[in-house]
Amino acid sequence: MARFAQAEINLSAIRHNYLLAKQLANGARTLATVKANAYGHGAVMVASVLADVADAFSVACIEEAIELRESGIKQPIVLLEGFFSQQELALIDQFALWPVVHHDAQIAQLAEYSFKQPLQVWLKMDSGMHRLGFLPHQYKAAYQRLAQLPQVSRIVHTTHFASADDCNSAVTEQQVALFKQTIKGLAGDCSHANSAAIMRGLVKQNDWARPGIMLYGSSPNAQFSSSTQLQTSMRLCAKVIAQRTIQAGEGVGYNHIFKAERTMRVGTVSMGYADGYPRAAGNQSVSYFNKTYCAILGRVSMDMLSIDLSRFSDLTLPDEPVELWGPHVSVDQVAKAAGTISYELFCGLNRRVKRSYINNPLTESVKRDN
Ligand SMILES: *Cc1c(COP(=O)(O)O)cnc(C)c1O
């Protein structure tokens, strides 16, 4: 059998999470954020399983949008970073995409282009994130320049929160106030909420919500009351490819950062940092194998890691996958052990990890294939 390193993706969980996001957003139009290959889950599969419920999708760049269009996605697609050159306007026109507009040169380029059909654009305000967008004092002028262009049919006001995941921070309320005050009297719908803001109930019925991470079953903050309603979307698995017994005082893996205090049984698992399992979680996290939590021992290598199998007394192990994250070991727990966030772990999965899909509500093929 081939090397086993697999991300099993539960499509009905993603669909459940989307519908939950829409409900928490008070039924507002909700675009599913599928940038970065749907946070590693496979953008085409995720979009196709949401195609009959999602109001729209969002991606970071035009290549990601075209991939969705070519797979048959008909919904609006928002380009979260807009367009990077005037050449992209032909593709925006051809594929009917909705670009974010966040700086002056983009407005000038739009004004010079003749589109087949007028365009919906999302005008971005920098209300405090200080990453993209017009500052509040520049915003109204940018809006007026856009609004008078025959190329533009509608404008959605948009901004992004810096600290929506942090309930102790006053920054989100300040950003909302600045955003609302700046767009007062300007025609157009609003979009400000990422997953954290949706889970905090900040979305009004007429807004556009933009959930990302919550679609993939991870909460930006475990304290949010709806966290427990999210369903796990991914189970990252590998297999035990070798095992041995080591004696007290012996080390495991590079630099022997783990040393046995007693006789132990150690399993070598076909998953390493080249697959996307974080090296920083070495010695800090657990795996789940045959109904048993097994500690990760020592450093994570490029292609392998070691786990504690001391609780298995039989010499022959069951041919079960080892869960590195999933329903039993939460991705947030692994991320915390590695000093990062679930977003980075999901996006960091290498293409060497095979994606397999279960519970596709469209085909009803509810099966587990390992
Ligand atoms: C990625 C992204 C989102 C989604 O954020 P989550 O925290 O994953 O919900 C929303 N809006 C913008 C502008 C983004 O870049």
Side-chain angles (χ1 to χ4, degrees):
M1 214 193 101
R3 178 175 188 267
F4 188 94
Q6 178 172 295
E8 181 188 85
I9 289 151
N10 185 337
L11 293 169
S12 69
I14 294 173
R15 197 177 156 96
H16 163 91
N17 295 334
Y18 174 84
L19 294 171
L20 177 65
K22 186 162 172 110
Q23 184 192 328
L24 295 171
N26 295 308
R29 287 160 297 174
T30 297
L31 58 82
T33 303
V34 295
K35 63 190 177 192
N37 199 27
Y39 295 42
H41 290 66
V44 167
M45 278 305 276
V46 169
S48 69
V49 95
L50 296 178
D52 63 327
V53 285
D55 301 299
F57 292 95
S58 75
V59 295
C61 59
I62 208 152
E63 292 81 2
E64 293 179 336
I66 292 173
E67 184 188 25
L68 296 184
R69 281 284 179 260
E70 288 181 339
S71 78
I73 293 298
K74 301 274 190 288
Q75 274 95 338
I77 302 175
V78 175
L79 299 171
L80 293 169
E81 295 177 17
F83 48 95
F84 301 84
S85 68
Q86 199 164 23
Q87 285 76 39
E88 289 189 336
L89 293 179
L91 294 169
I92 286 178
D93 196 21
Q94 179 186 345
F95 291 99
L97 308 174
W98 293 358
V100 163
V101 168
H102 60 86
H103 63 73
D104 282 321
Q106 291 174 319
I107 300 181
Q109 289 166 355
L110 281 177
E112 286 167 14
Y113 194 82
S114 79
F115 291 90
K116 282 187 299 214
Q117 68 238 346
L119 193 68
Q120 167 153 178
V121 303
W122 286 37
L123 182 60
K124 181 112 173 189
M125 188 190 306
D126 178 1
S127 61
M129 176 78 171
H130 297 329
R131 197 174 62 175
L132 289 185
F134 293 90
L135 289 165
H137 73 272
Q138 311 164 319
Y139 189 83
K140 196 166 177 183
Y143 174 88
Q144 283 162 345
R145 255 176 294 146
L146 266 184
Q148 68 185 27
L149 295 181
Q151 288 89 343
V152 172
S153 61
R154 284 178 86 93
I155 300 173
V156 172
H157 306 286
T158 187
T159 195
H160 193 56
F161 294 132
S163 306
D165 56 327
D166 179 0
C167 301
N168 299 318
S169 162
V171 168
T172 307
E173 283 67 27
Q174 288 161 7
Q175 287 193 258
V176 171
L178 194 52
F179 181 59
K180 291 273 148 89
Q181 180 195 324
T182 308
I183 64 176
K184 207 166 184 178
L186 305 179
D189 298 329
C190 292
S191 177
H192 59 28
N194 55 5
S195 298
I198 293 166
M199 294 175 84
R200 285 170 67 171
L202 297 182
V203 185
K204 302 255 177 0
Q205 209 179 350
N206 294 326
D207 294 345
W208 278 94
R210 306 193 303 266
I213 196 69
M214 69 183 295
L215 303 178
Y216 310 106
S218 166
S219 173
N221 180 334
Q223 310 308 315
F224 293 149
S225 59
S226 46
S227 296
T228 54
Q229 291 169 260
L230 294 172
Q231 292 181 4
T232 301
S233 65
M234 182 192 287
R235 188 167 74 124
L236 180 68
C237 295
K239 283 203 172 160
V240 177
I241 59 170
Q243 49 169 316
R244 66 210 63 246
T245 299
I246 62 166
Q247 306 303 324
E250 293 187 312
V252 177
Y254 286 118
N255 307 120
H256 284 182
I257 64 163
F258 177 83
K259 280 222 169 64
E261 287 174 0
R262 54 189 160 78
T263 303
M264 292 181 77
R265 190 167 174 195
V266 178
T268 305
V269 175
S270 55
M271 170 85 32
Y273 62 77
D275 297 289
Y277 189 86
R279 181 173 179 274
N283 254 356
Q284 306 293 323
S285 192
V286 293
S287 61
Y288 186 79
F289 175 63
N290 199 38
K291 304 190 176 61
T292 310
Y293 288 94
C294 304
I296 309 286
L297 302 179
R299 285 243 197 278
V300 172
S301 310
M302 186 182 289
D303 312 308
M304 288 173 266
L305 55 79
S306 301
I307 62 173
D308 182 1
L309 292 177
S310 302
R311 289 172 69 184
F312 293 87
S313 48
D314 273 2
L315 268 181
T316 40
L317 292 169
D319 184 33
E320 292 256 319
V322 179
E323 176 185 313
L324 281 318
W325 64 67
H328 301 95
V329 180
S330 95
V331 65
D332 296 308
Q333 188 183 332
V334 180
K336 193 157 180 237
T340 183
I341 52 176
S342 61
Y343 300 67
E344 191 180 27
L345 298 188
F346 283 147
C347 295
L349 283 184
N350 194 288
R351 68 195 165 100
R352 176 164 100 180
V353 177
K354 186 171 159 278
R355 271 57 166 187
S356 82
Y357 293 92
I358 62 162
N359 296 348
N360 186 337
L362 303 180
T363 61
E364 304 284 331
S365 72
V366 180
K367 74 177 209 298
R368 303 187 87 89
D369 61 358
N370 48 55

